[in-house]
Amino acid sequence: MSSIPPSPAEHGQDRSVGELLSAVTSDVQTLFRQEIDLAKAEVRQEATKAGKAAGMYGGAGFAGYMVLLFLSLAAVLGLSNVMDGGWAALIVTGVWAIVAAVLYQRGRTQMRTVSPTPQQTVETMKENAEWARHPSG
């Protein structure tokens, strides 16, 4: 039997300053990685919203193309049996212009909801900084 009492570290009661710093560094690295992952997820989500808004702009562009197509078709066909061909073409063109305006406005409204900054990450980083300043509070 040995007469030397076991050290407190062997019982897990006390850890050295180096061990504590290592644990804190590891925790900070883990926290940083988690914040980066959160920021990536938020950016991905905002990119999806931007993609949908871009699709609305694409729809508006297609509707604009249709304005030109129906302008030429309506000049030949359309309501030329009932009224002058020019007026018939203007009516069809006006309908497609309204469709294009509605799609453009919806795309514009959708684009305004896109946030370029990852808000949730910013908030948690502020909370982390506050906790680092006052860890017991």
Side-chain angles (χ1 to χ4, degrees):
M1 292 216 174
S2 165
S3 63
I4 302 173
S7 70
E10 290 175 349
H11 288 297
Q13 294 172 349
D14 290 331
R15 297 188 336 190
S16 71
V17 172
E19 290 172 324
L20 290 173
L21 284 175
S22 175
V24 168
T25 302
S26 175
D27 289 346
V28 168
Q29 288 173 343
T30 301
L31 179 62
F32 183 73
R33 274 190 234 109
Q34 289 172 341
E35 294 297 338
I36 294 296
D37 290 342
L38 178 61
K40 286 179 183 178
E42 276 191 88
V43 168
R44 213 174 295 120
Q45 184 179 23
E46 291 301 312
T48 300
K49 286 170 54 177
K52 288 179 182 178
M56 296 283 184
Y57 282 132
F62 176 73
Y65 169 76
M66 296 303 289
V67 167
L68 294 176
L69 176 67
F70 278 100
L71 177 62
S72 61
L73 289 176
V76 177
L77 304 169
L79 299 173
S80 63
N81 294 337
V82 183
M83 64 179 70
D84 184 49
W87 288 110
L90 284 174
I91 290 171
V92 173
T93 301
V95 169
W96 277 106
I98 290 169
V99 169
V102 167
L103 287 174
Y104 173 80
Q105 188 60 37
R106 290 190 65 197
R108 184 176 169 196
T109 301
Q110 181 84 21
M111 188 60 84
R112 287 183 176 166
T113 66
V114 174
S115 174
T117 59
Q119 294 297 328
Q120 188 176 355
T121 302
V122 169
E123 288 302 317
T124 58
M125 290 298 280
K126 286 178 184 176
E127 290 171 9
N128 293 341
E130 184 63 30
W131 177 84
R133 281 188 221 116
H134 310 288
S136 63

